[in-house]
Amino acid sequence: MAHGAEKVRLSLQKENKGWKKWGPYLSERQWGTVREDYSGNGDAWNYITHEMALSKAYRWGEDGIGGFSDNKQHICLSFGFWNHKDKILKERVFGLTNRESNHGEDVKEMYYYLDSTPTHSYTKMLYKYPQELFPYEKLRQENGRRGKADPEYEIMDTGVFEKDEYFDIFIEHAKADEEDILMKVTVFNRGPEDAPITVLPTIMFRNTWSWGYEAFNYKPIMNGISNRLIEVTHRKHGKYNMYLDNADELLFCENETNFKKLYGTANNTAYPKDGINDYIVSSGKSNTVNPNHIGTKASARFTKTIKAGESAVFRLRYVNHSISEPFGGFEDLFAKRIREADDFYDDIQKDVSNSDLRSIQRQAYAGMLWSKQFYYYNVYEWLKGDPAQPGPNQGRKWGRNSGWKHLYAANIISMPDKWEYPWFAAWDLAFHCVPLARVDADFAKRQLEILLREYYMHPNGQIPAYEWNFSDVNPPVHGWATWKVYEIDREQNNGIGDIQFLEKIFHKLLLNFTWWVNQKDDTGNNIFSGGFLGLDNIGVFDRSTPMPFGGKLQQADATGWMAMYTLNMLRISVEIALVHPVYQDMASKFFEHFLHIAGAMESIGGKNSSISLWDEEDQFYYDVIHIPNGQSILLKVRSIVGLIPLFAVEILDPQNLDKLPMFKRRVEWVLANRPDLARLISRWFESGKGENRLLSILRGHRMKMIMKRMLDETEFLSDFGVRALSKYHEDNPYKFYINGEVLQVDYTPAEALTDIMGGNSNWRGPIWFPLNYLIFDSLMKFHAYYGEDFMVEYPTNSGNLATIKDAAMAIACRLIDIFKKDTEGNRAVYGHDEKMQRDSNFNDHVLFYEYFHGDNGRGCGASHQTGWTGLVAELILKTASETVKETQKQELEISK
């Protein structure tokens, strides 16, 4: 039974309706996305730029600061600001495109997600707005001047925050009911002098009427009543009132493109999308807002000079009925929702005693919940164009995503972040679901189901990767994520698992598993070549393109992922079989399939093969490239590719085997009749429990050698987690000679020095959270099998012995240390930035980057990718829980 107000709200509706109908579902960047690109050359970044976004109506979605919308994004609420100096309003956050920055696209603003409940009954974010001119051109010019070897030039480097001449703008939402949203903006003047600011709460209809479809020929309308009320009427949603607390004036225009400004052609309206912007920045001199106070986009203007060191509050309320006193009890409602949010997280954080860790974890959850976005993309309509618009270039029919005409997305989806990656990425999403399951298991389960639905998954069984190329290949981690979410949900549900969810997912994963076997094991020898697999530039070659000189790559990581996938499917089928015995056949199928993959990894091509993915000389796994002349070469790059076989681990519980007689007979038959396969299974007898069986690619000697290298601080182990590339290559770069050319892989612990996959992320040395979490998870499984008696040296060459669990927990603590304050109050994630380290208005707020410097833990890549980096919330929970267990165990022993 649900306890606590937020848990009760979650129990009322599993879908994104009810209390979850309205949420922070706007992206921070709709411009520069594939969906909005109707260019002839597929140049999404330049078809709509940041400057054009001000004036162009989007086709597929909306963006905004602090944005809220309904679950289909018909009605959008957001905020604009003006410091009385900028040439444009601050309606969306700014960043550089792939070509403008020396390390690929990157947001260049300072903002933080501070809080959110899973139903968004309460949310809070912070946006930092300079009081001087926003340094748009300075950021462009300096980043454009820098090369790959230079650091990125960030907004903190421009000096706009040095003298504290900025506003801290806190945006909060509190729901009084499912369709009653209170909004509050609190603006602090952090500067030494009084400063003016204009705050513009904005409401806008997503433009559905300009594209020529009969179903959307209706144009909704908003009307302004005095300076305190905007009436909103929409056919699909009915009527709403937006109440403004003492606004200076109401401003209206249309959410339609300013064709005259952008293209020099006639406008459809005298008051286009940028009408409010032009009116404000001209100090009311332009006639670009509708004097009749009607339109499809509206803002309330609040202008105030805020004294140095003081703050001002701006209030509004959006509700589906009339209220005589809309701001009565306003602050009481906010206080109530904050208490409920505290109660909700207090329960989750009951084992987390450290206040800094509690804050980090709660901000991680907040970022993940704020990064839920409405994702709308009908590929068939996008390819053919809209009836009322000029037809797209003919090349589009055979270009990007043309093989995905069935894909029709219109869902709330967890995104990697809201600016750099405002679209789903398949393997990112799988990792998101683990921490999300802690706060909203139903949402996490629905996320895993979405990409496997018939209107996402390709008819051939492939899962769409990400919108820039749905046909690219991400690691097959959906099976792993499904089991993790099931475990978390079962734990929260008093040990009762959602078998229906498992069964539903299992059938779709079967299709995807078959696609992998048919498409990525073209020789039928159980060795796979998945290509890119999300690891960007980790190898010698760009693995997303065909190999040079007609070579064929066989990948240790692809094969390791498939071994892991097989065991995930085995574990799921065993669980379902305990309720539906017919699934024992599926368990047998995946049991044997795993053994064949494990056997294949021993030696490609059988006993007489001269080459294997395992290199006896280095005691490590490598990729192998096969050249048409018959030569096979080990690509001896010591990368995390060689650690991925560690993830293929599962334990067969004898108690479960006894409950599944058909499956048990098959296991015993294999052990008795296939000694070549039986040797791949480790057996461990526990008194009173029977015989456990360990299924793992790594056992015995190989496992010890992999762990020895992984836990070596001169190789993979950093002070802040496990590196993606061994530090060995810092002094010993890997070189591959081809056609008189040398291809080299160096240890580069931070931003990328290559252009592979756009050059905006790097797997040649940094620390990446998803694979680190899988390392942690796998080590915990090994410990569950081997127990306290199996010791490893941690770190390697230290002389210190530890259990596998102790090593896993130590790695987790190193990862947490990226964000946790050290003894001097610094956070490794912020590097050498004195302002972010010393100023509590910066340091107490946490950014969750895409990846982290392999030596010092500094944040790199996308700065707001709470997505898979949000896994730190789960690590904080796991380490705290283990500490509590150990304390209780010691207290029990003392009492005895």
Side-chain angles (χ1 to χ4, degrees), residues 713-760:
E713 292 179 313
T714 67
E715 291 221 33
F716 285 99
L717 187 62
S718 159
D719 288 342
F720 301 99
V722 177
R723 303 175 174 101
L725 189 77
S726 171
K727 197 174 173 66
Y728 165 83
H729 290 301
E730 184 173 42
D731 297 323
N732 303 277
Y734 177 76
K735 297 180 181 180
F736 186 84
Y737 299 89
I738 176 174
N739 298 330
E741 184 181 355
V742 180
L743 301 178
Q744 185 164 310
V745 176
D746 298 277
Y747 173 75
T748 52
E751 290 82 6
L753 300 181
T754 73
D755 289 320
I756 295 176
M757 296 301 295
N760 62 333

Side-chain angles (χ1 to χ4, degrees), residues 173-191:
H173 303 82
K175 295 181 185 177
D177 208 337
E178 293 178 4
E179 305 243 28
D180 187 354
I181 306 167
L182 283 62
M183 290 167 272
K184 179 168 64 171
V185 178
T186 306
V187 182
F188 286 84
N189 178 0
R190 301 297 187 193

Side-chain angles (χ1 to χ4, degrees), residues 63 113 163 234 276 313 329 409 457 461 477 486 567 572 637 683 718 794 811 824:
D63 53 21
Y113 303 116
K163 298 177 182 178
H234 195 288
I276 295 171
V313 176
M457 179 187 275
V477 291
Y486 173 81
L567 290 180
I572 293 170
V637 181
R683 304 162 74 174
S718 159
Y794 180 87
I811 290 172
E824 297 180 355

Side-chain angles (χ1 to χ4, degrees), residues 184-481:
K184 179 168 64 171
V185 178
T186 306
V187 182
F188 286 84
N189 178 0
R190 301 297 187 193
E193 298 180 2
D194 301 353
I197 188 168
T198 292
V199 176
L200 295 153
T202 299
I203 182 167
M204 179 165 50
F205 297 122
R206 176 167 60 84
N207 189 323
T208 58
W209 57 86
S210 294
W211 321 111
Y213 294 97
E214 185 66 25
F216 296 99
N217 62 2
Y218 164 74
K219 187 175 181 178
I221 191 168
M222 289 182 278
N223 298 280
I225 311 297
S226 70
N227 285 344
R228 64 186 299 271
L229 173 62
I230 298 173
E231 292 182 339
V232 180
T233 305
H234 195 288
R235 180 184 293 173
K236 287 184 175 291
H237 295 272
K239 294 185 177 181
Y240 292 87
N241 292 316
M242 177 180 257
Y243 295 99
L244 299 314
D245 190 10
N246 296 316
D248 296 313
E249 63 179 326
L250 302 184
L251 307 170
F252 290 79
C253 64
E254 302 292 340
N255 186 16
E256 297 193 28
T257 298
N258 189 334
F259 291 99
K260 184 177 180 180
K261 181 183 289 186
L262 295 180
Y263 309 113
T265 58
N267 280 331
N268 296 329
T269 174
Y271 315 108
K273 180 181 177 181
D274 51 16
I276 295 171
N277 173 87
D278 293 353
Y279 176 84
I280 293 291
V281 299
S282 70
S283 299
K285 295 176 183 177
S286 73
N287 59 350
T288 54
V289 294
N290 193 326
N292 296 317
H293 284 193
I294 59 174
T296 50
K297 177 182 178 181
S299 295
R301 179 179 68 83
F302 296 87
T303 297
K304 189 175 182 67
T305 295
I306 304 177
K307 292 183 178 180
E310 296 188 6
S311 64
V313 176
F314 307 91
R315 306 190 301 177
L316 54 151
R317 186 169 188 169
Y318 179 78
V319 58
N320 65 347
H321 57 270
S322 298
I323 302 176
S324 58
E325 296 292 336
F327 299 102
F330 192 91
E331 295 299 332
D332 291 339
L333 191 280
F334 264 94
K336 181 180 180 181
R337 292 292 180 255
I338 291 171
R339 285 197 304 271
E340 292 168 354
D342 290 342
D343 290 343
F344 178 78
Y345 283 110
D346 282 346
D347 182 53
I348 292 174
Q349 298 181 316
K350 58 182 177 293
D351 291 337
V352 185
S353 57
N354 181 281
S355 60
D356 188 33
L357 292 182
R358 289 172 68 91
S359 176
I360 294 165
Q361 187 183 45
R362 189 153 169 179
Q363 289 182 64
Y365 287 133
M368 301 202 68
L369 292 168
W370 269 92
S371 295
K372 292 158 60 173
Q373 297 170 56
F374 174 69
Y375 185 80
Y376 182 35
Y377 189 17
N378 181 331
V379 175
Y380 177 71
E381 287 184 356
W382 179 78
L383 289 169
K384 70 182 180 67
D386 298 315
Q389 300 295 314
N393 184 282
Q394 287 297 304
R396 174 181 292 260
K397 294 181 180 179
W398 299 277
R400 177 179 286 141
N401 295 332
S402 57
W404 293 79
K405 297 182 180 67
H406 70 285
L407 196 147
Y408 185 171
N411 300 93
I412 303 298
I413 305 181
S414 174
M415 306 294 178
D417 74 41
K418 292 165 79 79
W419 193 91
E420 189 159 340
Y421 302 103
W423 26 263
F424 72 82
W427 80 306
D428 299 59
L429 182 61
F431 292 109
H432 301 180
C433 289
V434 176
L436 280 170
R438 289 287 172 192
V439 294
D440 189 352
D442 287 323
F443 180 76
K445 287 187 282 187
R446 284 179 62 81
Q447 291 298 288
L448 291 170
E449 291 173 8
I450 283 174
L451 295 192
L452 300 176
R453 297 299 298 269
E454 61 277 6
Y455 42 85
Y456 282 82
M457 179 187 275
H458 198 281
N460 65 15
Q462 184 178 9
I463 294 174
Y466 50 93
E467 78 170 27
W468 289 89
N469 185 3
F470 286 136
S471 295
D472 224 329
V473 184
N474 279 177
V477 291
H478 264 62
W480 172 83

Side-chain angles (χ1 to χ4, degrees), residues 35 118 166 194 196 450 550 601 623 667-668 702 800 808 891:
R35 283 157 287 162
Y166 68 92
D194 301 353
I450 283 174
M601 284 197 76
D623 288 346
V667 170
E668 290 175 345
R702 288 191 182 182
N800 300 321
E891 290 174 349

Side-chain angles (χ1 to χ4, degrees), residues 27-222:
S27 69
E28 283 154 359
R29 176 175 65 82
Q30 185 70 11
W31 63 273
T33 60
V34 167
R35 283 157 287 162
E36 302 296 342
D37 176 23
Y38 285 84
S39 68
N41 59 357
D43 186 0
W45 282 112
N46 287 311
Y47 182 73
I48 303 179
T49 64
H50 176 265
E51 285 71 22
M52 293 174 67
L54 176 71
S55 307
K56 187 172 179 63
Y58 295 129
R59 169 66 175 88
W60 298 98
E62 291 295 344
D63 53 21
I65 298 174
F68 243 57
S69 79
D70 63 272
N71 58 6
K72 295 300 178 185
Q73 207 173 91
H74 289 118
I75 305 172
C76 306
L77 311 168
S78 62
F79 296 90
F81 307 100
W82 188 46
N83 60 10
H84 293 238
K85 293 181 180 178
D86 283 344
K87 296 179 181 179
I88 61 172
L89 298 180
K90 180 58 68 176
E91 292 184 282
R92 57 189 55 79
V93 295
F94 171 72
L96 300 181
T97 68
N98 210 315
R99 294 176 181 174
E100 292 175 324
S101 181
N102 58 328
H103 292 290
E105 64 266 35
D106 190 33
V107 70
K108 299 297 183 183
E109 303 257 21
M110 289 304 301
Y111 58 101
Y112 310 85
Y113 303 116
L114 301 179
D115 211 354
S116 181
T117 58
T119 67
H120 313 295
S121 58
Y122 176 72
T123 69
K124 183 177 183 180
M125 71 165 288
L126 167 62
Y127 174 70
K128 290 181 177 287
Y129 187 29
Q131 292 170 3
E132 294 300 315
L133 281 168
F134 191 90
Y136 293 107
E137 289 309 309
K138 193 173 185 180
L139 286 163
R140 276 204 177 101
Q141 291 172 7
E142 180 59 24
N143 275 285
R145 185 188 66 79
R146 297 189 178 196
K148 290 287 185 187
D150 299 313
E152 293 177 354
Y153 186 66
E154 306 291 3
I155 190 170
M156 295 298 293
D157 300 321
T158 67
V160 293
F161 296 113
E162 281 184 7
K163 298 177 182 178
D164 292 330
E165 294 175 339
Y166 68 92
F167 298 107
D168 264 345
I169 303 174
F170 292 91
I171 300 170
E172 297 173 272
H173 303 82
K175 295 181 185 177
D177 208 337
E178 293 178 4
E179 305 243 28
D180 187 354
I181 306 167
L182 283 62
M183 290 167 272
K184 179 168 64 171
V185 178
T186 306
V187 182
F188 286 84
N189 178 0
R190 301 297 187 193
E193 298 180 2
D194 301 353
I197 188 168
T198 292
V199 176
L200 295 153
T202 299
I203 182 167
M204 179 165 50
F205 297 122
R206 176 167 60 84
N207 189 323
T208 58
W209 57 86
S210 294
W211 321 111
Y213 294 97
E214 185 66 25
F216 296 99
N217 62 2
Y218 164 74
K219 187 175 181 178
I221 191 168
M222 289 182 278

